[in-house]
Amino acid sequence: MSGFPVGNILIVDDDRPARGAAGGCPVTRRSFSTLLLLALGLGLPSPAFAAAGGPGAAKAAIVAGAETDYPPFSIVAGNGKADGFSVELFAAAVKAAGRDVVFRTGVWSDLKRDLAEGRLQALPLVGRTPEREALYEFTFPYLAMHGTIVVRRGNDEIRGPENLTGRQVAVLKGDNAEEFLNRARLGATIVPLPSFETALRELSAGRHDAVVMQKLVALQLMKSARIENLKTVGKPLEDFSQQFCFAVRAGDHELLSTLNEGLALVMADGTFRRLQTKWFGPLEARSRPGSRVVVGGDNDYPPYEYLDRNGQPAGFNVELTRAVARQAGIDVDFRLGAWGKIRKGLESGEIDLVQGMFYSVERDEAYDFSPPYTVVAHTIVVRNGSPVPADLASLSGRSVLVMAGDVMEDLAVERGLGKNLVAVASQEEALRLLAAGRHDCALVAAVPALYWIEKHGWRNLRLADTPVFSAEYGYAALPANASLLSSMSEGLAAIQKTGEYRTLRNQWLGPYEERKAFRTVARYALAVLLPLLALLFGSVLWSRSLRRQVVARTREVSMERELLSAEAEKVRTLNEELEGRVAARTAELESAVGEMEAFSYSVAHDLRAPVRAVDGFAAILASDYAGSLDDEGRRLLEKVRLGSRRMGQLIDDLLAFSRTSRTAMTLAPVDLTRVARSVVSELGAEAARAAVEVRLSELPAALGDEGLLRVVFQNLVSNAIKFSAGRPGATVVIASRAGERGTEYFVEDNGVGFDAEFVHKLFGVFQRLHRADEFEGTGIGLALVKRIVERHGGRVWAEGEVGRGATVRFTLSDEASVPSPVRAES
C-alpha cells in the first residue's frame, strides 16, 4: 500500500485498502507512480490542449458546494468565502485542469441534495459509500479517514464501539457516521443533528453519551468552540473508514475526468503536500498532551545515540534531533532505552518518533520513514588471524553474533542464516563475546564497532574491508504521526541547507569515518607499495632509454604537426559551423520536447525500472531456485513474471496514449485503403492462428495524419480478430458507408460482442467489458482510438450484441475529406 498518512487519515495513492493508523508508508519516500498512471489514464486532454482549442476549451466555471462547518476540510473564512483543505485542493485541481470554480456554501444535507438534483456540479469532500454510489460519480480517493468516539472527560465506561450498546450517540445528519452506525447495528440510539459543532456542544452540556465523527474535525471544533471537557477515546474505528473524493452527479463523466486529471497533477507537483502541512500539521501538534513530542532512541548505540556518564541523552542523533526540532518549532523530550522496548513504545503510542531506525521493506509495512539523514555501513567483524568472510553467503555454517531486533538480524534471516545467528542485547555485547573468543564473527554497524573497539581496547578484533550492507538511517513514526514526520523532514532539509547538519556530522561521526578511511587506505597502501617501488626502479632505467627515442621521435612529430595544423584549421572552421547549426537546432527542439522529457523520465524512473527489476528477480528465482520450489511455488512465480510483463505492456500503452495528444499532427491526403491493407497484412499471421477471415473494401481517402490513422486501424482490426477467434465462420469486415455527417468508416466482426448497456464504458481508459483471463489486453486501445479520431475532428461509437459480434464506427471532420480519392497501392 502506498499513501500519505496524517493522524487518523491516510492519503491514498493506489487501490489497496487504507490502513489508517495501523499502516501506511512514508510521506517522504514515495514516488508519484500511481498518480501519473491516473493522470494519464483518465482520458481528458491536458490544460494546454484545451487552451489550444481542443475539447473542453473556454468552458464555464464549475459550480461546487462547500460545507460551512467541517474543519479543517471545509469552512467559511472571516471574509465569508469557502476555505479549508478540501476546498483549496479542489480549487487547485480545477485550475490545473484549465477550468475555474465558483463555490456555494451551505450545510451538508442541503449540499448533497443540490448535487443530486443538478443545482451543483461537484462537491470537494464526499466519503464514498455503497449508499452514495447510485447518486454520484467519484474521483480516485485523495485521503482515507477513520472515525473516532468523543465522550465527556471523566467517562471511563466508553472505550470503544462495543461500549456504545444502549447509549445515545449524536452524529451529523446524513454523514458517513450515521450510515456507519446503521450498518454496524451496535444497539446505540442514533441522534442526527444539523452540525458536528451542535453535537459537541450538546455532548459537553450533558446531553447524549457520545459523538461519532472524525478525529481532526473534533479537535478543530473543540478548539474553535473552546470546549474543554471532551476527549477522544479508543483506537480509530477500523470499520468506519471513509475514502474521501471529489464527487459529481451520476453520468457526468466529462467533469469527472477533468477533476481526476487535475487532482493527479496537484498531487504530483507538490501542491497537495503543501496544503497537507498547512491544514493538518498544526492540528496534529495540538492533539498531543502538552504539545511535546516524545522522541525515542537506543541507549547503547554510540556515537549515534547513548546515555552519557550522567545518564543524559547524547550522540549525533540527539544533537541532530534538537537542531531539527528547533528549526521546526517542536518541543521534544528524549526517551532512550533498550532497542526492543523503544520499538514497543513506538508501536503502543507512548513514543511519537524514533530518531534513528534503519529502513527495510518489512519495516516499511509498519512504520513511516523520513528521508535518510545518513547511510550506515554494516560489516563483518572477526578475530585477528581468522579469515574474513567476503559476504553474507560466506557465513553459512558459522556462529554469527547479531543484535536482537537489528536490521542485520532481519537481513541475515532473509538470507537463510537464521540457524547460525546468536542474538544478544546490543552490538557492544556482540563484540565483547567475540573478543573473548566465543563464536566466529559478528554482524555490526561499522562506526559503532570502531567506537567500542577503541573504548574497550579490543585489539584482537578486525573489521572487514568492504561493507556487506549499507542501510538508510532516518526518523521513523507510526502512520498516525506522519505530519510530525513531515515537519521533522522539513526541519532536517533546512539545517542541511544552513550547514548545521554538516557541523554536527563532522563533530560526532567525522573522527570515526576518517579513522575507518585511514585504516582502509593504509591496508591497501601496504599491499601495493612494495610492488610499486620495484616498478618505479625499473621505470627509471627504462625511461633513460625511452628519452633518447623520444628526442628522435619529437623531430618527426614536429614535421607532422605542421602538416596537420593546416588540416586542423579547416576542421576547426567546419566544427564551429556545425556547432552553430547544432545550437540553433537544439534551441528549437528544447521547448518542443521539454514536457515530454519530464514525463518520459518520470515513467522510466518510477515505473519501468521497478517492473524490470521484478521481472529480472523473478527470472533469477526461476533460473536459480526453481528446484527449491514445489509446483505451486513455480506456478505462482510464473504468475509474477506474467504480471510484470503485462505491467510492462501497460506502461508502453500508456506512453503511446500520452504521445497521442502531445505529438503534432502532419495533415496530408491519406489513402486509407492502402493503410488498412498494410495493417491487415501485418496482422495476417494473427488472423490465421485465430481462424478469422478479414475482408477489406475500398475506402475513401481522407485528410489526416497517416501514422495516427494507422494506429486506429491497428487497434480496431486487432480487437476484432481477438474477440472473434475460434468462432465458426469468424469474419472481420473493414468498409465504409455514407452517413448523415459524411463518410463513416467501420470495422465489423461476428465475435463475442458486448452488452449494449455498458457501451458508455467501452472507450474509457482501463475499461474492459470482458474478463482479463478470457481476453488479453490493457484496456487502452479503444481509448487511444477515441483520442486520435477526436484530434481529427471526428467521433467514434460502437454497436454490438452479446454473441452476435460488434461494430466500431468512426468519422473524420469535413475538412478531412479528399475530393479525389487516392487509389490504394497494388
Side-chain angles (χ1 to χ4, degrees):
M1 164 92 174
S2 174
F4 304 102
V6 181
N8 288 330
I9 299 173
L10 178 65
I11 309 305
V12 180
D13 69 355
D14 73 4
D15 57 357
R16 290 168 53 185
R19 289 175 294 177
C25 61
V27 172
T28 50
R29 69 170 49 249
R30 284 290 179 266
S31 69
F32 291 102
S33 306
T34 309
L35 299 179
L36 288 172
L37 284 172
L38 289 165
L40 290 170
L42 293 165
L44 266 192
S46 66
F49 178 57
K59 292 188 176 181
I62 298 169
V63 181
E67 296 174 67
T68 57
D69 58 349
Y70 205 84
F73 303 98
S74 182
I75 58 175
V76 174
N79 59 6
K81 295 183 178 180
D83 201 2
F85 170 75
S86 296
V87 172
E88 280 202 61
L89 181 65
F90 187 90
V94 169
K95 182 178 179 181
R99 299 285 297 275
D100 296 321
V101 61
V102 175
F103 288 103
R104 295 179 181 173
T105 59
V107 297
W108 168 242
S109 57
D110 292 341
L111 292 176
K112 70 175 186 176
R113 182 175 60 252
D114 289 346
L115 177 62
E117 296 176 0
R119 289 182 289 276
L120 292 175
Q121 292 177 270
L123 292 176
L125 180 73
V126 181
R128 186 168 187 167
T129 65
E131 294 86 349
R132 295 173 180 172
E133 290 185 348
L135 299 175
Y136 313 120
E137 301 275 359
F138 295 91
T139 63
F140 66 90
Y142 59 83
L143 63 83
M145 183 164 56
H146 289 72
T148 191
I149 301 173
V150 184
V151 300
R152 285 182 291 276
R153 293 189 182 277
N155 182 346
D156 297 326
E157 297 178 356
I158 299 178
R159 299 181 179 180
E162 66 277 2
N163 303 128
L164 295 180
T165 303
R167 308 283 185 171
Q168 192 177 87
V169 181
V171 296
L172 172 64
K173 183 179 180 180
D175 185 63
N176 289 19
E178 182 178 8
E179 297 172 3
F180 158 70
L181 290 173
N182 285 324
R183 286 196 305 269
R185 298 180 179 180
L186 299 174
T189 301
I190 303 172
V191 183
L193 295 172
S195 70
F196 274 130
E197 182 174 351
T198 301
L200 292 174
R201 287 188 182 278
E202 291 188 2
L203 177 65
S204 174
R207 300 176 61 185
H208 320 303
D209 297 305
V211 174
V212 172
M213 60 189 301
Q214 290 71 38
K215 184 175 182 179
L216 287 184
V217 178
L219 293 173
Q220 175 70 13
L221 286 174
M222 287 189 287
K223 178 180 182 299
S224 62
R226 298 183 179 180
I227 301 174
E228 299 180 353
N229 66 331
L230 301 183
K231 64 178 181 178
T232 61
V233 296
K235 297 180 179 179
L237 300 176
E238 295 183 0
D239 294 331
F240 178 22
S241 174
Q242 298 174 273
Q243 289 195 349
F244 280 99
C245 318
F246 300 155
V248 301
R249 291 186 68 198
D252 194 350
H253 302 294
E254 180 179 359
L255 179 55
L256 181 67
S257 294
T258 299
L259 295 179
N260 267 320
E261 180 183 24
L263 180 57
L265 290 172
V266 298
M267 294 183 86
D269 68 9
T271 301
F272 182 90
R273 284 287 308 282
R274 177 179 60 79
L275 295 176
Q276 169 196 340
T277 301
K278 172 183 176 181
W279 288 100
F280 295 143
L283 279 179
E284 185 172 290
R286 288 196 294 270
S287 69
R288 300 185 188 91
S291 295
R292 295 187 69 84
V293 173
V294 179
V295 178
D298 196 332
N299 65 351
D300 194 19
Y301 197 65
Y304 293 100
E305 51 189 14
Y306 60 96
L307 295 175
D308 62 16
R309 295 178 179 177
N310 298 318
Q312 297 300 311
F316 171 67
N317 294 358
V318 174
E319 295 305 320
L320 178 67
T321 298
R322 287 190 175 121
V324 170
R326 185 167 56 250
Q327 181 70 37
I330 298 173
D331 294 329
V332 296
D333 287 330
F334 291 97
R335 183 179 300 174
L336 271 57
W339 177 239
K341 292 182 178 179
I342 294 300
R343 284 186 64 172
K344 290 181 180 178
L346 178 64
E347 292 165 0
S348 67
E350 297 176 5
I351 294 175
D352 298 308
L353 183 79
V354 168
Q355 63 184 355
M357 182 181 287
F358 294 112
Y359 175 82
S360 71
V361 175
E362 293 76 16
R363 292 176 176 180
D364 190 34
E365 292 295 323
Y367 312 112
D368 286 356
F369 288 84
S370 73
Y373 54 75
T374 190
V375 175
V376 178
H378 290 72
T379 188
I380 302 172
V381 181
V382 298
R383 286 182 292 275
N384 291 335
S386 300
V388 180
D391 50 33
L392 290 178
S394 305
L395 299 180
S396 179
R398 303 192 187 196
S399 178
V400 182
L401 289 158
V402 67
M403 174 180 167
D406 186 56
V407 69
M408 289 308 296
E409 181 183 28
D410 298 339
L411 181 62
V413 170
E414 179 185 330
R415 300 289 176 85
L417 299 173
K419 295 181 180 179
N420 303 77
L421 300 182
V422 179
V424 295
S426 66
Q427 296 197 9
E428 180 186 16
E429 181 64 17
L431 294 173
R432 186 191 311 278
L433 292 174
L434 184 65
R438 298 174 62 181
H439 310 289
D440 299 316
C441 57
L443 288 174
V444 295
V447 170
L450 291 173
Y451 176 92
W452 291 121
I453 290 172
E454 177 180 343
K455 179 178 180 179
H456 296 296
W458 292 327
R459 303 302 178 189
N460 64 329
L461 298 185
R462 173 188 174 189
L463 276 67
D465 296 330
T466 306
V468 293
F469 180 65
S470 294
E472 295 180 348
Y473 195 49
Y475 293 103
L478 291 179
N481 283 329
S483 284
L484 169 63
L485 194 67
S486 179
S487 298
M488 293 295 287
S489 298
E490 292 173 1
L492 175 61
I495 69 166
Q496 286 174 331
K497 290 181 180 179
T498 63
E500 187 174 3
Y501 169 84
R502 176 54 57 185
T503 300
L504 292 173
R505 184 180 180 90
N506 290 340
Q507 175 187 348
W508 288 97
L509 306 182
Y512 300 99
E513 292 176 341
E514 292 172 2
R515 192 173 307 148
K516 183 174 183 296
F518 174 78
R519 292 175 61 179
T520 301
V521 170
R523 188 174 293 114
Y524 279 109
L526 290 175
V528 300
L529 186 58
L530 292 178
L532 284 178
L533 288 175
L535 289 173
L536 180 61
F537 180 74
S539 66
V540 170
L541 298 177
W542 187 31
S543 65
R544 291 183 179 181
S545 173
L546 288 178
R547 188 177 296 115
R548 298 186 184 93
Q549 300 178 39
V550 168
V551 172
R553 181 57 181 161
T554 299
R555 296 192 185 97
E556 298 175 5
V557 171
S558 179
M559 297 178 63
E560 294 175 357
R561 183 181 301 155
E562 293 177 359
L563 296 175
L564 292 173
S565 178
E567 295 297 327
E569 182 62 23
K570 295 179 181 179
V571 172
R572 185 185 63 80
T573 302
L574 179 60
N575 187 55
E576 290 176 351
E577 181 180 353
L578 290 175
E579 287 179 349
R581 293 179 182 178
V582 169
R585 183 57 177 163
T586 300
E588 294 175 4
L589 292 176
E590 282 178 349
S591 61
V593 302
E595 183 178 356
M596 182 56 71
E597 285 178 342
F599 168 77
S600 298
Y601 175 82
S602 296
V603 172
H605 182 272
D606 288 336
L607 298 178
R608 279 182 168 170
V611 169
R612 287 175 179 170
V614 170
D615 191 38
F617 284 124
I620 292 173
L621 287 173
S623 173
D624 297 345
Y625 299 97
S628 302
L629 301 175
D630 57 15
D631 291 341
E632 178 63 10
R634 286 189 289 272
R635 184 185 69 82
L636 293 175
L637 181 59
E638 184 58 28
K639 290 188 70 174
V640 170
R641 299 194 64 190
L642 179 60
S644 66
R645 289 193 291 271
R646 286 179 176 172
M647 187 61 185
Q649 182 60 48
L650 176 60
I651 293 170
D652 292 339
D653 288 350
L654 284 172
L655 285 171
F657 185 69
S658 175
R659 285 194 294 268
T660 300
S661 61
R662 299 171 183 266
T663 304
M665 294 197 306
T666 302
L667 298 180
V670 179
D671 183 348
L672 293 182
T673 303
R674 178 175 57 80
V675 171
R677 181 178 294 126
S678 174
V679 170
V680 171
S681 177
E682 293 172 1
L683 299 175
E686 180 180 340
R689 287 193 300 270
V692 176
E693 178 186 0
V694 181
R695 299 174 183 173
L696 170 62
S697 299
E698 195 77 15
L699 302 176
L703 188 67
D705 186 298
E706 181 172 340
L708 293 179
L709 292 177
R710 176 182 294 275
V711 173
V712 170
F713 280 104
Q714 285 173 336
N715 278 281
L716 294 182
V717 176
S718 177
N719 272 3
I721 293 172
K722 176 171 62 178
F723 291 110
S724 301
R727 295 178 67 84
T731 304
V732 174
V733 176
I734 308 170
S736 64
R737 71 179 186 184
E740 295 180 358
R741 299 184 180 180
T743 303
E744 294 179 1
Y745 304 87
F746 63 87
V747 176
E748 180 181 78
D749 66 68
N750 58 354
V752 296
F754 61 88
D755 190 343
E757 180 183 354
F758 302 102
V759 69
H760 64 281
K761 294 186 177 181
L762 200 59
F763 295 93
V765 179
F766 302 123
Q767 297 291 340
R768 296 173 53 85
L769 303 187
H770 301 87
R771 287 172 23 200
D773 57 351
E774 292 179 338
F775 300 96
E776 294 183 351
T778 60
I780 293 179
L782 289 181
L784 190 61
V785 168
K786 182 174 183 288
R787 179 162 289 187
I788 294 173
V789 170
E790 288 179 349
R791 289 197 68 190
H792 282 78
R795 69 185 189 95
V796 61
W797 67 100
E799 303 159 357
E801 183 179 347
V802 176
R804 301 291 297 275
T807 302
V808 179
R809 305 181 187 277
F810 67 91
T811 64
L812 303 174
S813 68
D814 294 339
E815 291 79 5
S817 62
V818 177
S820 301
V822 180
R823 301 292 297 177
E825 296 178 359
S826 59

